[in-house]
PDB file of all heavy atoms in Angstrom:
ATOM      1  N   PRO A 290    -210.085  53.629 -75.331  1.00 91.00           N
ATOM      2  CA  PRO A 290    -210.782  52.392 -75.682  1.00 91.00           C
ATOM      3  C   PRO A 290    -210.065  51.567 -76.759  1.00 91.00           C
ATOM      4  O   PRO A 290    -210.318  50.382 -76.897  1.00 91.00           O
ATOM      5  CB  PRO A 290    -212.143  52.861 -76.201  1.00 91.00           C
ATOM      6  CG  PRO A 290    -212.292  54.259 -75.722  1.00 91.00           C
ATOM      7  CD  PRO A 290    -210.912  54.804 -75.549  1.00 91.00           C
ATOM      8  N   ASP A 291    -209.155  52.190 -77.507  1.00 91.00           N
ATOM      9  CA  ASP A 291    -208.450  51.488 -78.580  1.00 91.00           C
ATOM     10  C   ASP A 291    -207.122  50.887 -78.125  1.00 91.00           C
ATOM     11  O   ASP A 291    -206.402  50.310 -78.947  1.00 91.00           O
ATOM     12  CB  ASP A 291    -208.209  52.437 -79.755  1.00 91.00           C
ATOM     13  CG  ASP A 291    -209.507  52.954 -80.340  1.00 91.00           C
ATOM     14  OD1 ASP A 291    -210.488  52.185 -80.383  1.00 91.00           O
ATOM     15  OD2 ASP A 291    -209.548  54.127 -80.745  1.00 91.00           O
ATOM     16  N   ALA A 292    -206.768  51.030 -76.864  1.00 87.00           N
ATOM     17  CA  ALA A 292    -205.496  50.506 -76.358  1.00 87.00           C
ATOM     18  C   ALA A 292    -205.488  48.987 -76.455  1.00 87.00           C
ATOM     19  O   ALA A 292    -206.513  48.327 -76.314  1.00 87.00           O
ATOM     20  CB  ALA A 292    -205.277  50.942 -74.926  1.00 87.00           C
ATOM     21  N   SER A 293    -204.312  48.433 -76.708  1.00 77.00           N
ATOM     22  CA  SER A 293    -204.218  46.982 -76.830  1.00 77.00           C
ATOM     23  C   SER A 293    -203.118  46.436 -75.934  1.00 77.00           C
ATOM     24  O   SER A 293    -202.181  47.143 -75.570  1.00 77.00           O
ATOM     25  CB  SER A 293    -203.910  46.604 -78.282  1.00 77.00           C
ATOM     26  OG  SER A 293    -202.664  47.163 -78.658  1.00 77.00           O
ATOM     27  N   GLY A 294    -203.258  45.158 -75.587  1.00 72.00           N
ATOM     28  CA  GLY A 294    -202.232  44.482 -74.800  1.00 72.00           C
ATOM     29  C   GLY A 294    -201.944  45.184 -73.495  1.00 72.00           C
ATOM     30  O   GLY A 294    -202.835  45.640 -72.814  1.00 72.00           O
ATOM     31  N   GLY A 295    -200.673  45.287 -73.152  1.00 86.00           N
ATOM     32  CA  GLY A 295    -200.254  45.922 -71.913  1.00 86.00           C
ATOM     33  C   GLY A 295    -199.920  47.386 -72.075  1.00 86.00           C
ATOM     34  O   GLY A 295    -199.269  47.970 -71.220  1.00 86.00           O
ATOM     35  N   SER A 296    -200.369  47.989 -73.170  1.00 91.00           N
ATOM     36  CA  SER A 296    -200.004  49.387 -73.422  1.00 91.00           C
ATOM     37  C   SER A 296    -200.565  50.336 -72.371  1.00 91.00           C
ATOM     38  O   SER A 296    -199.904  51.312 -72.006  1.00 91.00           O
ATOM     39  CB  SER A 296    -200.444  49.829 -74.815  1.00 91.00           C
ATOM     40  OG  SER A 296    -201.849  49.786 -74.939  1.00 91.00           O
ATOM     41  N   LEU A 297    -201.762  50.078 -71.875  1.00 94.00           N
ATOM     42  CA  LEU A 297    -202.330  50.935 -70.828  1.00 94.00           C
ATOM     43  C   LEU A 297    -201.501  50.851 -69.555  1.00 94.00           C
ATOM     44  O   LEU A 297    -201.171  51.868 -68.950  1.00 94.00           O
ATOM     45  CB  LEU A 297    -203.773  50.518 -70.504  1.00 94.00           C
ATOM     46  CG  LEU A 297    -204.865  51.090 -71.370  1.00 94.00           C
ATOM     47  CD1 LEU A 297    -206.214  50.516 -70.950  1.00 94.00           C
ATOM     48  CD2 LEU A 297    -204.903  52.583 -71.313  1.00 94.00           C
ATOM     49  N   ARG A 298    -201.153  49.645 -69.156  1.00 93.00           N
ATOM     50  CA  ARG A 298    -200.372  49.468 -67.927  1.00 93.00           C
ATOM     51  C   ARG A 298    -199.017  50.156 -68.049  1.00 93.00           C
ATOM     52  O   ARG A 298    -198.610  50.882 -67.165  1.00 93.00           O
ATOM     53  CB  ARG A 298    -200.173  47.988 -67.602  1.00 93.00           C
ATOM     54  CG  ARG A 298    -199.313  47.785 -66.350  1.00 93.00           C
ATOM     55  CD  ARG A 298    -199.356  46.367 -65.838  1.00 93.00           C
ATOM     56  NE  ARG A 298    -200.652  45.991 -65.321  1.00 93.00           N
ATOM     57  CZ  ARG A 298    -201.115  46.321 -64.120  1.00 93.00           C
ATOM     58  NH1 ARG A 298    -200.392  47.038 -63.313  1.00 93.00           N
ATOM     59  NH2 ARG A 298    -202.308  45.925 -63.731  1.00 93.00           N
ATOM     60  N   SER A 299    -198.319  49.946 -69.134  1.00 94.00           N
ATOM     61  CA  SER A 299    -196.996  50.564 -69.269  1.00 94.00           C
ATOM     62  C   SER A 299    -197.101  52.081 -69.348  1.00 94.00           C
ATOM     63  O   SER A 299    -196.254  52.797 -68.806  1.00 94.00           O
ATOM     64  CB  SER A 299    -196.248  50.001 -70.475  1.00 94.00           C
ATOM     65  OG  SER A 299    -196.945  50.241 -71.670  1.00 94.00           O
ATOM     66  N   ALA A 300    -198.140  52.593 -69.983  1.00 95.00           N
ATOM     67  CA  ALA A 300    -198.313  54.045 -70.077  1.00 95.00           C
ATOM     68  C   ALA A 300    -198.607  54.662 -68.719  1.00 95.00           C
ATOM     69  O   ALA A 300    -198.025  55.686 -68.342  1.00 95.00           O
ATOM     70  CB  ALA A 300    -199.424  54.387 -71.070  1.00 95.00           C
ATOM     71  N   VAL A 301    -199.494  54.049 -67.939  1.00 95.00           N
ATOM     72  CA  VAL A 301    -199.830  54.615 -66.634  1.00 95.00           C
ATOM     73  C   VAL A 301    -198.669  54.432 -65.653  1.00 95.00           C
ATOM     74  O   VAL A 301    -198.450  55.274 -64.787  1.00 95.00           O
ATOM     75  CB  VAL A 301    -201.171  54.072 -66.089  1.00 95.00           C
ATOM     76  CG1 VAL A 301    -201.014  52.710 -65.447  1.00 95.00           C
ATOM     77  CG2 VAL A 301    -201.779  55.043 -65.106  1.00 95.00           C
ATOM     78  N   GLU A 302    -197.881  53.373 -65.801  1.00 96.00           N
ATOM     79  CA  GLU A 302    -196.676  53.218 -64.980  1.00 96.00           C
ATOM     80  C   GLU A 302    -195.689  54.352 -65.257  1.00 96.00           C
ATOM     81  O   GLU A 302    -195.093  54.905 -64.330  1.00 96.00           O
ATOM     82  CB  GLU A 302    -196.014  51.865 -65.236  1.00 96.00           C
ATOM     83  CG  GLU A 302    -196.722  50.709 -64.584  1.00 96.00           C
ATOM     84  CD  GLU A 302    -196.155  49.353 -64.974  1.00 96.00           C
ATOM     85  OE1 GLU A 302    -195.338  49.264 -65.926  1.00 96.00           O
ATOM     86  OE2 GLU A 302    -196.528  48.366 -64.321  1.00 96.00           O
ATOM     87  N   ALA A 303    -195.512  54.696 -66.532  1.00 97.00           N
ATOM     88  CA  ALA A 303    -194.605  55.793 -66.893  1.00 97.00           C
ATOM     89  C   ALA A 303    -195.121  57.130 -66.359  1.00 97.00           C
ATOM     90  O   ALA A 303    -194.345  57.961 -65.869  1.00 97.00           O
ATOM     91  CB  ALA A 303    -194.442  55.855 -68.410  1.00 97.00           C
ATOM     92  N   MET A 304    -196.426  57.337 -66.444  1.00 97.00           N
ATOM     93  CA  MET A 304    -197.003  58.580 -65.941  1.00 97.00           C
ATOM     94  C   MET A 304    -196.837  58.686 -64.426  1.00 97.00           C
ATOM     95  O   MET A 304    -196.502  59.751 -63.897  1.00 97.00           O
ATOM     96  CB  MET A 304    -198.499  58.646 -66.308  1.00 97.00           C
ATOM     97  CG  MET A 304    -198.750  58.778 -67.791  1.00 97.00           C
ATOM     98  SD  MET A 304    -200.484  58.505 -68.234  1.00 97.00           S
ATOM     99  CE  MET A 304    -201.266  59.902 -67.480  1.00 97.00           C
ATOM    100  N   THR A 305    -197.065  57.563 -63.731  1.00 96.00           N
ATOM    101  CA  THR A 305    -196.923  57.554 -62.280  1.00 96.00           C
ATOM    102  C   THR A 305    -195.468  57.801 -61.882  1.00 96.00           C
ATOM    103  O   THR A 305    -195.196  58.523 -60.928  1.00 96.00           O
ATOM    104  CB  THR A 305    -197.438  56.219 -61.703  1.00 96.00           C
ATOM    105  OG1 THR A 305    -198.779  56.019 -62.145  1.00 96.00           O
ATOM    106  CG2 THR A 305    -197.419  56.207 -60.197  1.00 96.00           C
ATOM    107  N   ALA A 306    -194.534  57.230 -62.624  1.00 96.00           N
ATOM    108  CA  ALA A 306    -193.111  57.452 -62.350  1.00 96.00           C
ATOM    109  C   ALA A 306    -192.743  58.921 -62.545  1.00 96.00           C
ATOM    110  O   ALA A 306    -191.917  59.467 -61.812  1.00 96.00           O
ATOM    111  CB  ALA A 306    -192.258  56.561 -63.253  1.00 96.00           C
ATOM    112  N   ALA A 307    -193.374  59.575 -63.512  1.00 97.00           N
ATOM    113  CA  ALA A 307    -193.076  60.986 -63.787  1.00 97.00           C
ATOM    114  C   ALA A 307    -193.512  61.914 -62.654  1.00 97.00           C
ATOM    115  O   ALA A 307    -192.971  63.006 -62.514  1.00 97.00           O
ATOM    116  CB  ALA A 307    -193.740  61.420 -65.097  1.00 97.00           C
ATOM    117  N   VAL A 308    -194.476  61.481 -61.851  1.00 96.00           N
ATOM    118  CA  VAL A 308    -194.929  62.312 -60.726  1.00 96.00           C
ATOM    119  C   VAL A 308    -194.504  61.719 -59.381  1.00 96.00           C
ATOM    120  O   VAL A 308    -195.084  62.039 -58.343  1.00 96.00           O
ATOM    121  CB  VAL A 308    -196.465  62.564 -60.764  1.00 96.00           C
ATOM    122  CG1 VAL A 308    -196.853  63.356 -61.984  1.00 96.00           C
ATOM    123  CG2 VAL A 308    -197.252  61.263 -60.677  1.00 96.00           C
ATOM    124  N   ALA A 309    -193.481  60.875 -59.397  1.00 95.00           N
ATOM    125  CA  ALA A 309    -193.019  60.221 -58.169  1.00 95.00           C
ATOM    126  C   ALA A 309    -192.621  61.232 -57.100  1.00 95.00           C
ATOM    127  O   ALA A 309    -192.790  60.974 -55.909  1.00 95.00           O
ATOM    128  CB  ALA A 309    -191.851  59.288 -58.475  1.00 95.00           C
ATOM    129  N   HIS A 310    -192.120  62.375 -57.513  1.00 94.00           N
ATOM    130  CA  HIS A 310    -191.726  63.417 -56.552  1.00 94.00           C
ATOM    131  C   HIS A 310    -192.913  63.970 -55.776  1.00 94.00           C
ATOM    132  O   HIS A 310    -192.751  64.546 -54.713  1.00 94.00           O
ATOM    133  CB  HIS A 310    -191.004  64.548 -57.282  1.00 94.00           C
ATOM    134  CG  HIS A 310    -191.852  65.249 -58.280  1.00 94.00           C
ATOM    135  ND1 HIS A 310    -192.125  64.707 -59.534  1.00 94.00           N
ATOM    136  CD2 HIS A 310    -192.516  66.416 -58.223  1.00 94.00           C
ATOM    137  CE1 HIS A 310    -192.916  65.534 -60.198  1.00 94.00           C
ATOM    138  NE2 HIS A 310    -193.174  66.578 -59.428  1.00 94.00           N
ATOM    139  N   ARG A 311    -194.116  63.779 -56.279  1.00 92.00           N
ATOM    140  CA  ARG A 311    -195.321  64.279 -55.605  1.00 92.00           C
ATOM    141  C   ARG A 311    -195.790  63.351 -54.500  1.00 92.00           C
ATOM    142  O   ARG A 311    -196.597  63.753 -53.665  1.00 92.00           O
ATOM    143  CB  ARG A 311    -196.462  64.445 -56.616  1.00 92.00           C
ATOM    144  CG  ARG A 311    -196.086  65.236 -57.821  1.00 92.00           C
ATOM    145  CD  ARG A 311    -196.687  66.548 -58.014  1.00 92.00           C
ATOM    146  NE  ARG A 311    -197.753  66.979 -57.197  1.00 92.00           N
ATOM    147  CZ  ARG A 311    -198.793  67.651 -57.658  1.00 92.00           C
ATOM    148  NH1 ARG A 311    -198.912  67.872 -58.938  1.00 92.00           N
ATOM    149  NH2 ARG A 311    -199.698  68.089 -56.833  1.00 92.00           N
ATOM    150  N   GLY A 312    -195.326  62.121 -54.509  1.00 90.00           N
ATOM    151  CA  GLY A 312    -195.754  61.170 -53.497  1.00 90.00           C
ATOM    152  C   GLY A 312    -194.778  60.027 -53.341  1.00 90.00           C
ATOM    153  O   GLY A 312    -194.933  58.986 -53.974  1.00 90.00           O
ATOM    154  N   PRO A 313    -193.747  60.207 -52.527  1.00 92.00           N
ATOM    155  CA  PRO A 313    -192.733  59.167 -52.386  1.00 92.00           C
ATOM    156  C   PRO A 313    -193.107  58.024 -51.447  1.00 92.00           C
ATOM    157  O   PRO A 313    -192.370  57.049 -51.350  1.00 92.00           O
ATOM    158  CB  PRO A 313    -191.544  59.944 -51.828  1.00 92.00           C
ATOM    159  CG  PRO A 313    -192.167  61.054 -51.043  1.00 92.00           C
ATOM    160  CD  PRO A 313    -193.409  61.433 -51.803  1.00 92.00           C
ATOM    161  N   ASP A 314    -194.245  58.108 -50.761  1.00 92.00           N
ATOM    162  CA  ASP A 314    -194.568  57.135 -49.718  1.00 92.00           C
ATOM    163  C   ASP A 314    -195.300  55.885 -50.198  1.00 92.00           C
ATOM    164  O   ASP A 314    -195.265  54.855 -49.522  1.00 92.00           O
ATOM    165  CB  ASP A 314    -195.399  57.805 -48.610  1.00 92.00           C
ATOM    166  CG  ASP A 314    -194.636  58.940 -47.950  1.00 92.00           C
ATOM    167  OD1 ASP A 314    -193.418  58.795 -47.752  1.00 92.00           O
ATOM    168  OD2 ASP A 314    -195.256  59.974 -47.638  1.00 92.00           O
ATOM    169  N   ASP A 315    -195.973  55.957 -51.317  1.00 93.00           N
ATOM    170  CA  ASP A 315    -196.739  54.799 -51.797  1.00 93.00           C
ATOM    171  C   ASP A 315    -197.140  55.052 -53.239  1.00 93.00           C
ATOM    172  O   ASP A 315    -197.172  56.200 -53.701  1.00 93.00           O
ATOM    173  CB  ASP A 315    -198.007  54.612 -50.939  1.00 93.00           C
ATOM    174  CG  ASP A 315    -198.723  53.286 -51.187  1.00 93.00           C
ATOM    175  OD1 ASP A 315    -198.108  52.368 -51.764  1.00 93.00           O
ATOM    176  OD2 ASP A 315    -199.890  53.165 -50.783  1.00 93.00           O
ATOM    177  N   GLU A 316    -197.404  53.974 -53.958  1.00 95.00           N
ATOM    178  CA  GLU A 316    -197.939  54.100 -55.307  1.00 95.00           C
ATOM    179  C   GLU A 316    -198.893  52.960 -55.584  1.00 95.00           C
ATOM    180  O   GLU A 316    -198.800  51.903 -54.959  1.00 95.00           O
ATOM    181  CB  GLU A 316    -196.836  54.140 -56.361  1.00 95.00           C
ATOM    182  CG  GLU A 316    -196.167  52.819 -56.634  1.00 95.00           C
ATOM    183  CD  GLU A 316    -195.189  52.905 -57.778  1.00 95.00           C
ATOM    184  OE1 GLU A 316    -195.580  53.304 -58.882  1.00 95.00           O
ATOM    185  OE2 GLU A 316    -194.018  52.567 -57.546  1.00 95.00           O
ATOM    186  N   GLY A 317    -199.814  53.200 -56.486  1.00 95.00           N
ATOM    187  CA  GLY A 317    -200.766  52.161 -56.846  1.00 95.00           C
ATOM    188  C   GLY A 317    -201.270  52.355 -58.260  1.00 95.00           C
ATOM    189  O   GLY A 317    -201.268  53.472 -58.787  1.00 95.00           O
ATOM    190  N   LEU A 318    -201.677  51.249 -58.879  1.00 96.00           N
ATOM    191  CA  LEU A 318    -202.214  51.252 -60.239  1.00 96.00           C
ATOM    192  C   LEU A 318    -203.483  50.424 -60.279  1.00 96.00           C
ATOM    193  O   LEU A 318    -203.630  49.445 -59.540  1.00 96.00           O
ATOM    194  CB  LEU A 318    -201.217  50.633 -61.221  1.00 96.00           C
ATOM    195  CG  LEU A 318    -199.837  51.233 -61.335  1.00 96.00           C
ATOM    196  CD1 LEU A 318    -198.969  50.342 -62.205  1.00 96.00           C
ATOM    197  CD2 LEU A 318    -199.905  52.624 -61.896  1.00 96.00           C
ATOM    198  N   TRP A 319    -204.365  50.807 -61.171  1.00 95.00           N
ATOM    199  CA  TRP A 319    -205.547  50.007 -61.469  1.00 95.00           C
ATOM    200  C   TRP A 319    -205.758  50.099 -62.970  1.00 95.00           C
ATOM    201  O   TRP A 319    -205.766  51.195 -63.538  1.00 95.00           O
ATOM    202  CB  TRP A 319    -206.769  50.542 -60.728  1.00 95.00           C
ATOM    203  CG  TRP A 319    -208.025  49.802 -61.068  1.00 95.00           C
ATOM    204  CD1 TRP A 319    -208.459  48.624 -60.540  1.00 95.00           C
ATOM    205  CD2 TRP A 319    -209.000  50.183 -62.024  1.00 95.00           C
ATOM    206  NE1 TRP A 319    -209.652  48.260 -61.112  1.00 95.00           N
ATOM    207  CE2 TRP A 319    -210.003  49.213 -62.039  1.00 95.00           C
ATOM    208  CE3 TRP A 319    -209.115  51.271 -62.891  1.00 95.00           C
ATOM    209  CZ2 TRP A 319    -211.111  49.283 -62.870  1.00 95.00           C
ATOM    210  CZ3 TRP A 319    -210.223  51.332 -63.721  1.00 95.00           C
ATOM    211  CH2 TRP A 319    -211.207  50.340 -63.696  1.00 95.00           C
ATOM    212  N   VAL A 320    -205.884  48.965 -63.636  1.00 94.00           N
ATOM    213  CA  VAL A 320    -206.005  48.946 -65.090  1.00 94.00           C
ATOM    214  C   VAL A 320    -207.162  48.055 -65.495  1.00 94.00           C
ATOM    215  O   VAL A 320    -207.298  46.928 -65.020  1.00 94.00           O
ATOM    216  CB  VAL A 320    -204.699  48.433 -65.750  1.00 94.00           C
ATOM    217  CG1 VAL A 320    -204.828  48.418 -67.259  1.00 94.00           C
ATOM    218  CG2 VAL A 320    -203.502  49.279 -65.319  1.00 94.00           C
ATOM    219  N   ASP A 321    -208.009  48.572 -66.376  1.00 93.00           N
ATOM    220  CA  ASP A 321    -209.091  47.794 -66.989  1.00 93.00           C
ATOM    221  C   ASP A 321    -208.824  47.787 -68.489  1.00 93.00           C
ATOM    222  O   ASP A 321    -209.207  48.714 -69.205  1.00 93.00           O
ATOM    223  CB  ASP A 321    -210.440  48.426 -66.678  1.00 93.00           C
ATOM    224  CG  ASP A 321    -211.608  47.698 -67.323  1.00 93.00           C
ATOM    225  OD1 ASP A 321    -211.383  46.714 -68.054  1.00 93.00           O
ATOM    226  OD2 ASP A 321    -212.754  48.128 -67.107  1.00 93.00           O
ATOM    227  N   GLU A 322    -208.104  46.777 -68.953  1.00 90.00           N
ATOM    228  CA  GLU A 322    -207.735  46.689 -70.375  1.00 90.00           C
ATOM    229  C   GLU A 322    -208.974  46.623 -71.269  1.00 90.00           C
ATOM    230  O   GLU A 322    -209.011  47.235 -72.323  1.00 90.00           O
ATOM    231  CB  GLU A 322    -206.845  45.471 -70.628  1.00 90.00           C
ATOM    232  CG  GLU A 322    -205.495  45.537 -69.970  1.00 90.00           C
ATOM    233  CD  GLU A 322    -204.492  46.425 -70.694  1.00 90.00           C
ATOM    234  OE1 GLU A 322    -204.764  46.861 -71.828  1.00 90.00           O
ATOM    235  OE2 GLU A 322    -203.439  46.689 -70.104  1.00 90.00           O
ATOM    236  N   GLU A 323    -209.988  45.866 -70.822  1.00 90.00           N
ATOM    237  CA  GLU A 323    -211.219  45.734 -71.613  1.00 90.00           C
ATOM    238  C   GLU A 323    -211.911  47.068 -71.810  1.00 90.00           C
ATOM    239  O   GLU A 323    -212.410  47.376 -72.879  1.00 90.00           O
ATOM    240  CB  GLU A 323    -212.181  44.773 -70.915  1.00 90.00           C
ATOM    241  CG  GLU A 323    -212.379  43.476 -71.627  1.00 90.00           C
ATOM    242  CD  GLU A 323    -213.392  42.613 -70.893  1.00 90.00           C
ATOM    243  OE1 GLU A 323    -214.561  43.028 -70.773  1.00 90.00           O
ATOM    244  OE2 GLU A 323    -212.986  41.535 -70.447  1.00 90.00           O
ATOM    245  N   GLY A 324    -211.977  47.859 -70.744  1.00 92.00           N
ATOM    246  CA  GLY A 324    -212.658  49.149 -70.799  1.00 92.00           C
ATOM    247  C   GLY A 324    -211.795  50.286 -71.306  1.00 92.00           C
ATOM    248  O   GLY A 324    -212.285  51.383 -71.552  1.00 92.00           O
TER     249      GLY A 324
END
């Protein structure tokens, strides 16, 4: 809840990239900065 700016998006992008080997066929993100 204390995240600011685009920090949530960049963090979840990095996490998703770290598990790319688990799913090479597609990727998706959903971010609610307010929440």
Side-chain angles (χ1 to χ4, degrees):
D291 299 324
S293 61
S296 63
L297 275 177
R298 178 167 293 281
S299 60
V301 81
E302 284 173 349
M304 293 168 67
T305 305
V308 296
H310 63 282
R311 309 248 350 220
D314 299 321
D315 191 17
E316 74 174 303
L318 302 172
W319 176 83
V320 180
D321 178 358
E322 294 282 350
E323 249 182 62

